[in-house]
């Protein structure tokens, strides 16, 4: 972060704007909206600023800028088209330690003015550190449409009842759950429908019946985080990620996704490597249970889909036995994500009428699969955790009747900026993989549909950010994970 966003209280505070043109007018308007006392120094004023002066909303010093004008200003904004004046303002403010903003000259700013979505008392500020005001405006436009204007009224009502809720509920957790219910439930709906009076009545009713136990019940969210690209999360996943008190995640969940979890949620890494489980499965199950029993909202983030080679079932079994409420949120499984992003349709009328998902995990050093079932014509086989056993898998498939020229692809870190697709055949894939330095996780797809990759590939990342987007920490190359 290059700057810390803060909200400045300027009510009746002296502020100075240098310049009296259109640009200055926009800044003056903002300062007036914040209740500031605005002095404008400029030999002339444009019509709009003159009108403000006529209505006695601003003070006007009809002179060129001089440092004395800064005398008691708490902040200063320079909005002139004269670069030497702007610099003079910057230097004079610097000497006096007054925060200064020079419009459109980020290097002459000690503070910047964000784009604002105003739902007073809710205010959202969007800044790009001067990198792209246009982007900030676009984001603002999006948020404007996303956030009902009634949120301002809702927040004002909440403020009036804050103390009563504090008295009714004794713990922070209970109070937070209570307010979330208010903002997501009937009270909010009533405000959105313009029925503020009824909303207040409902809120009063809720407070009268509130007790700590009701609002302190823990819960577990078993959430599929998808294969890597954060854009592939579901809305529900994101919503629960924003509610969690604590998150348990492993190395299959991309850092960019963990970043989307509520900022002050506790983060617990229970990462697994193939033969070196950082936290044994039994302990993860136990941890989920204990955290929920403490009244926490526990987010268990899983790569892909929790019920596909994800041990999701095992993790919630104890919860069922102990009567802990939970939700399971599906995610895009690696097969679907990698196939789409590699341009390999898993089924296709001409090539494959069915698709099998299997695990290539080694048992006692060999891959133990129903080869007969895997080597049927007209089907696609997707192998999870198949890198270590790759050679054996390819060999066995040929031994059990598939042609050596059957197309096969290994997809590294599908859907991330580190995605790489190595498309070959059952005979040649092992050599091709050996030539490339592949990094876990990888997915193997076998079948005629792989031929379509050449034609349908569309996601071909070249970004220099690739290393940051990696699912796993550097230096763990070649390990097939889980
Ligand atoms: N529950 C997960 C699978 C967990 S098993 C899901 O539904 O996707 C772990 C295996 O998933 C890895 O060994 C790898 O084979 C596969 N995998 C997960 N994410 C992947 C990705 N982004 N690219 C390639 N393979 C991936």
């Amino acid at each position: 972060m290059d700057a810390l966003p803060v909200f400045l209280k300027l009510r009746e505070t002296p502020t100075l704007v240098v310049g009296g043109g259109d640009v200055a007018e926009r800044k003056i308007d903002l300062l007036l909206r914040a209740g500031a006392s605005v002095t404008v120094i400029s030999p002339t004023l444009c019509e709009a600023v003159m009108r403000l002066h006529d209505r006695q909303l601003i003070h006007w010093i009809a002179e060129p800028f001089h440092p004395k004008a800064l005398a008691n200003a708490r902040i200063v904004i320079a909005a002139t088209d004269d670069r030497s004046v702007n610099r003079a303002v910057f230097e004079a403010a610097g000497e006096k330690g007054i925060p200064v903003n020079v419009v459109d000259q980020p290097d002459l700013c000690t503070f910047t003015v964000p784009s604002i979505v105003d739902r007073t008392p809710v205010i959202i500020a969007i800044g790009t550190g001067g990198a792209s005001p246009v982007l900030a405006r676009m984001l603002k436009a999006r948020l404007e449409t996303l956030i009902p204007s009634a949120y301002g009224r809702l927040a004002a009502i909440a403020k009036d009842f804050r103390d009563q809720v504090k008295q009714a509920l004794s713990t922070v957790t209970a109070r937070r759950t209570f307010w979330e219910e208010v903002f997501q439930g009937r009270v909010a709906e009533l405000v959105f429908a313009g029925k503020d009076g009824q909303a207040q009545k409902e809120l009063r009713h809720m407070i009268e019946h509130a007790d700590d136990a009701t609002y302190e019940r823990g819960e577990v969210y078993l959430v599929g985080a998808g294969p890597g690209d954060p854009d592939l999360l579901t809305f529900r996943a994101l919503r629960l990620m924003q509610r969690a008190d604590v998150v348990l995640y492993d190395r299959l969940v991309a850092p960019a996704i963990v970043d989307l979890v509520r900022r002050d949620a506790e983060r617990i890494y229970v990462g697994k490597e193939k033969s070196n489980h950082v936290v044994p499965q039994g302990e993860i199950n136990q941890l989920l249970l204990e955290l929920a029993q403490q009244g926490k909202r526990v987010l268990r983030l899983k790569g892909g889909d929790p019920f596909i080679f994800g041990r999701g079932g095992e993790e919630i079994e104890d919860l069922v036995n102990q009567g802990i409420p939970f939700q399971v949120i599906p995610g895009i499984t690696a097969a679907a994500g990698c196939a789409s992003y590699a341009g390999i349709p898993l089924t296709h009328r001409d090539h494959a009428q069915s698709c099998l998902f299997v695990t290539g995990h080694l048992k006692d050093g060999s891959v133990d699969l129903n080869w007969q079932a895997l080597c049927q014509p007209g089907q696609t086989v997707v192998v999870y955790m198949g890198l270590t056993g790759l050679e054996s898998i390819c060999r066995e498939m040929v031994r059990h009747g598939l042609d050596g020229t059957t197309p096969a692809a290994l997809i590294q870190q599908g859907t991330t900026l580190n995605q790489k697709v190595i498309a070959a055949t059952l005979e040649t894939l092992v050599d091709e993989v050996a030539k490339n330095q592949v990094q876990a996780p990888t997915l193997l797809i076998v079948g005629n549909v792989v031929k379509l990759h050449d034609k349908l590939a569309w996601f071909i990342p070249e970004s220099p950010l690739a290393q940051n987007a990696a699912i796993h920490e550097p230096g763990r190359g070649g390990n097939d994970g889980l």
Side-chain angles (χ1 to χ4, degrees), residues 134-150:
V134 176
L135 184 62
R137 274 200 291 278
M138 274 170 57
L139 287 171
K140 168 185 154 74
R142 248 198 226 182
L143 290 171
E144 291 280 8
T145 57
L146 218 66
I147 301 166
S149 56

Side-chain angles (χ1 to χ4, degrees), residues 215-476:
Y215 291 103
E216 275 213 324
R217 222 163 48 134
E219 200 181 348
V220 173
Y221 313 135
L222 182 59
V223 171
D229 183 349
D231 275 7
L232 296 179
L233 282 170
T234 60
F235 286 124
R236 197 184 185 94
L238 195 59
R239 205 164 52 236
L240 296 178
M241 285 159 74
Q242 288 296 319
R243 279 172 68 100
D245 297 313
V246 48
V247 52
L248 277 71
Y249 64 101
D250 51 57
R251 76 185 201 101
L252 212 52
V253 181
I257 290 177
V258 180
D259 279 350
L260 294 174
V261 175
R262 196 165 67 87
R263 220 152 250 293
D264 42 2
E266 185 189 347
R267 286 159 162 71
I268 302 178
Y269 179 71
V270 292
K272 298 171 178 182
E273 289 174 59
K274 193 178 31 150
S275 50
N276 173 24
H277 287 209
V278 175
V279 179
Q281 188 64 48
E283 278 180 36
I284 296 178
N285 304 355
Q286 187 59 28
L287 201 54
L288 287 174
L289 187 63
E290 281 168 14
L291 290 166
Q293 279 167 340
Q294 290 165 17
K296 298 202 166 122
R297 280 176 302 199
V298 189
L299 170 72
R300 174 64 171 120
L301 259 189
K302 310 278 301 183
D305 181 276
F307 278 2
I308 296 183
F309 304 124
R311 298 196 166 191
E314 295 169 45
E315 292 189 0
I316 54 177
E317 241 169 77
D318 288 348
L319 304 176
V320 180
N321 296 338
Q322 298 292 326
I324 303 277
F326 64 88
Q327 304 183 36
V328 184
I329 315 305
I332 292 185
T333 189
C338 293
S340 292
Y341 276 51
I344 301 174
L346 292 177
T347 66
H348 189 288
R349 279 197 299 175
D350 299 335
H351 305 292
Q353 287 70 44
S354 63
C355 177
L356 281 186
F357 293 177
V358 299
T359 161
H361 197 54
L362 301 181
K363 258 192 207 142
D364 310 324
S366 67
V367 187
D368 182 22
L369 285 167
N370 179 351
W371 298 109
Q372 224 59 52
L374 254 59
C375 298
Q376 299 301 314
Q379 87 180 353
T380 306
V381 177
V382 180
V383 187
Y384 288 69
M385 296 169 271
L387 184 59
T388 316
L390 184 67
E391 187 170 359
S392 147
I393 293 166
C394 292
R395 186 179 356 100
E396 290 299 324
M397 286 184 113
V398 174
R399 212 159 71 89
H400 287 83
L402 284 188
D403 204 292
T405 60
T406 305
L410 192 80
I411 300 155
Q412 159 190 296
Q413 297 188 8
T415 79
T416 75
L417 294 181
N418 262 358
Q419 173 173 305
K420 206 190 274 179
V421 180
I422 302 168
T425 65
L426 282 178
E427 264 165 3
T428 58
L429 187 62
V430 172
D431 284 346
E432 289 302 318
V433 169
K435 281 186 217 153
N436 289 273
Q437 271 208 333
V438 284
Q439 294 180 330
T442 62
L443 193 81
L444 171 64
I445 304 182
V446 181
N448 283 328
V449 286
V450 170
K451 276 193 281 199
L452 295 162
H453 162 70
D454 276 347
K455 200 166 156 192
L456 302 184
W458 61 272
F459 178 70
I460 301 155
E462 284 177 18
S463 167
L465 292 174
Q467 279 312 315
N468 296 339
I471 285 181
H472 62 98
E473 296 91 319
R476 292 195 178 162

Side-chain angles (χ1 to χ4, degrees), residues 35-96:
S37 156
V38 182
T39 299
V40 176
I41 180 162
S42 171
T44 57
L45 298 182
C46 73
E47 246 175 67
V49 180
M50 188 59 93
R51 270 200 300 277
L52 295 175
H53 180 248
D54 292 345
R55 292 166 59 203
Q56 300 187 341
L57 294 173
I58 57 169
H59 310 281
W60 178 26
I61 307 174
E63 296 166 13
F65 171 74
H66 50 80
K68 265 186 277 165
L70 284 169
N72 54 4
R74 292 284 180 77
I75 63 166
V76 53
I77 299 180
T80 80
D81 48 13
D82 184 328
R83 288 191 160 245
S84 62
V85 173
N86 287 345
R87 177 157 283 281
V89 176
F90 172 71
E91 280 166 6
E95 265 169 36
K96 289 198 152 67

